[in-house]
Amino acid sequence: MSVPLLQQIRVGSYILKQKLKGNKRYPLVLMLEPLFRCNLACSGCGKIDYPDPILNKRLSVQECLDAADECGAPIVAIPGGEPLIHKEIGEIVAGLVKRKKFVSLCTNALLLEKKLHLFKPSPYLFFSVHLDGLKEEHDASVCQDGVFDIAVKAIKAAQKKGFQVNVNATIFDGAKPERVAAFLDFARDEGMGVTISPGYAYERAPNQDHFLSRKKTKELFREILALGKGRKWSLNHSSLYLDFLAGNEQYHCTPWGMPTRNIFGWQKPCYLLGEGFVSSFKELMETTDWDTYGTGNYEKCANCMAHCGYEPTAAADALANPLKALLSSIRGPRTAGPMAKEISLENQRPAKYIFENQVSDFMKETHESKKAASKETAKKSLAQTG
């Protein structure tokens, strides 16, 4: 299963309208994180290292729908944490589908089979199941045995009920091209498209030793994609993004292409990098200093080649150069020959580490809110007894 035709048409039409309006910066996908809590603790994850008061916080149904309306992107991806933990996830998805948003519900699938009754099959709904490879690789990645088997069982149950299921795979240093190719064969044979991307080096991830450099990413994906010739894998990416992974394009990222709304607010500047939060999408777009981020501009972005930053760049390139995109699609990614010139890192600004301050500020706000609520409750109680 590649990207469905309906979605291609709707997204293409949306991009064209933005271009005709003269908009240089516009979102393609809303990354909607209704919670950070998860039922796994993956070694490469930088999303769950928070105190319990933060992990226990949720976006309401209305907050989620308001974010989709405010942003206007045609696609809404719901990562986390684990979204299926959210008690109102069925209502959130139903509200987004009613708005005819293409919804990609990202899940590790541990709860999927149990929660299928909360959803209805729709051309606008996709379950995107996290699988980082075949059984050995995936269970090692999520630091728990048996997860791969549970996920595959849940995938088949969802497919049997008529749901569309894709898988999303994160590739780390040390991945063997032949094993990745075997995984992509498995996904093809099970009727699933695959979103595949090199892992981003979250500063809070427990394991900091298995993230790929840009050079290693390009070399690894050249080997993987070379093995894919004639195997008819269903990769849910534009041909130009795959060319970028193989080192054939010198792209700068488009961080505003996939803006993030989570329990803190709208995250600056992108899904992978939290450098502050604002209260509205408009404020995010107007106050973020976009030119200070991206490879060559900022140390934290040096090795990033993730699809959430570069797929929007590839989409814009395809619209601007349709013949180039068509030729890339026909021939497939080039896996031999010289690579595109790399972006210089000489003038990148040093990384800033603000995670602890963000957590401290949020905890202070939480404490003050609880204190104010307690005073209000006590005041009402006193008034009633008086």
Side-chain angles (χ1 to χ4, degrees):
M1 182 194 305
S2 58
V3 179
L5 181 60
L6 174 63
Q7 184 173 328
Q8 292 183 45
I9 293 172
R10 286 279 304 279
V11 173
S13 175
Y14 168 83
I15 295 174
L16 184 58
K17 287 179 181 177
Q18 298 299 320
K19 291 291 185 181
L20 292 174
K21 290 179 180 178
N23 294 335
K24 294 182 177 180
R25 293 179 177 142
Y26 51 87
L28 282 179
V29 181
L30 167 62
M31 306 297 284
L32 180 64
E33 293 180 296
L35 79 172
F36 288 153
R37 175 75 69 182
C38 190
N39 47 6
L40 287 174
C42 303
S43 60
C45 182
K47 292 283 185 176
I48 59 174
D49 187 20
Y50 293 100
D52 279 342
I54 294 177
L55 293 177
N56 291 337
K57 190 166 178 61
R58 308 284 187 265
L59 289 181
S60 68
V61 175
Q62 194 59 53
E63 285 176 317
C64 291
L65 300 182
D66 287 348
D69 293 340
E70 187 181 354
C71 172
I75 303 171
V76 179
I78 308 180
E82 171 50 52
L84 292 181
I85 293 176
H86 198 297
K87 293 181 179 179
E88 297 173 305
I89 190 61
E91 295 176 55
I92 293 170
V93 170
L96 293 170
V97 168
K98 186 177 180 180
R99 285 163 167 75
K100 293 189 176 180
K101 302 291 185 182
F102 293 98
V103 180
S104 177
L105 179 58
C106 309
T107 175
N108 58 38
L110 291 180
L111 297 172
L112 180 57
E113 198 166 358
K114 179 182 177 182
K115 299 285 184 91
L116 280 175
H117 68 282
L118 298 176
F119 310 98
K120 294 181 180 179
S122 166
Y124 291 96
L125 174 60
F126 306 80
F127 289 119
S128 181
V129 176
H130 171 212
L131 288 180
D132 285 344
L134 294 172
K135 181 179 175 64
E136 179 183 343
E137 289 81 8
H138 182 64
D139 285 357
S141 176
V142 301
C143 306
Q144 185 171 313
D145 292 338
V147 175
F148 179 86
D149 292 335
I150 294 172
V152 170
K153 182 173 179 289
I155 287 169
K156 291 181 178 179
Q159 289 175 323
K160 188 174 180 180
K161 289 184 178 293
F163 290 99
Q164 301 175 86
V165 184
N166 298 326
V167 295
N168 63 81
T170 305
I171 306 301
F172 297 102
D173 193 17
K176 296 178 174 58
E178 295 79 10
R179 290 288 291 176
V180 177
F183 165 69
L184 294 174
D185 285 343
F186 163 79
R188 175 203 61 206
D189 295 343
E190 293 297 329
M192 298 179 295
V194 179
T195 299
I196 187 168
S197 184
Y200 175 75
Y202 289 109
E203 63 188 80
R204 305 291 296 188
N207 187 343
Q208 289 291 317
D209 298 327
H210 64 177
F211 294 109
L212 289 157
S213 67
R214 286 173 75 88
K215 184 175 185 295
K216 284 187 175 181
T217 294
K218 295 171 184 179
E219 292 171 347
L220 175 61
F221 274 88
R222 277 205 170 188
E223 291 187 61
I224 293 169
L225 294 169
L227 292 171
K229 301 292 185 182
R231 292 165 90 158
K232 298 182 179 180
W233 294 334
S234 292
L235 299 175
N236 294 337
H237 295 290
S238 67
S239 59
L240 290 178
Y241 175 68
L242 295 176
D243 254 329
F244 167 69
L245 287 181
N248 304 321
E249 297 286 348
Q250 189 200 64
Y251 283 155
H252 290 272
C253 78
T254 306
W256 57 85
M258 293 191 184
T260 297
R261 171 68 162 96
N262 59 33
I263 61 171
F264 293 129
W266 291 89
Q267 179 169 298
K268 301 172 69 171
C270 68
Y271 173 66
L272 299 173
L273 190 57
E275 300 258 318
F277 299 88
V278 293
S279 58
S280 70
F281 175 70
K282 185 174 185 292
E283 188 179 358
L284 172 74
M285 297 299 287
E286 292 180 353
T287 65
T288 303
D289 189 358
W290 301 108
D291 293 335
T292 63
Y293 295 101
T295 302
N297 296 326
Y298 191 37
E299 185 180 356
K300 287 184 179 179
C301 304
N303 288 310
C304 183
M305 295 182 71
H307 70 282
C308 57
Y310 290 93
E311 188 67 83
T313 308
D317 189 18
L319 187 66
N321 301 284
L323 181 58
K324 171 185 172 182
L326 177 62
L327 291 174
S328 174
S329 179
I330 292 172
R331 65 166 168 77
R334 181 170 57 81
T335 57
M339 292 187 182
K341 184 179 179 181
E342 189 51 270
I343 297 170
S344 172
L345 303 180
E346 287 185 6
N347 297 317
Q348 67 179 6
R349 63 189 176 95
K352 291 183 178 181
Y353 298 99
I354 60 176
F355 179 88
E356 299 295 348
N357 288 337
Q358 288 178 346
V359 171
S360 177
D361 289 345
F362 187 86
M363 293 298 290
K364 183 179 179 180
E365 291 174 11
T366 300
H367 176 73
E368 290 176 352
S369 296
K370 286 184 177 180
K371 190 176 179 180
S374 295
K375 285 184 178 180
E376 186 65 24
T377 300
K379 186 177 179 181
K380 288 181 179 179
S381 177
L382 184 61
Q384 290 173 354
T385 56

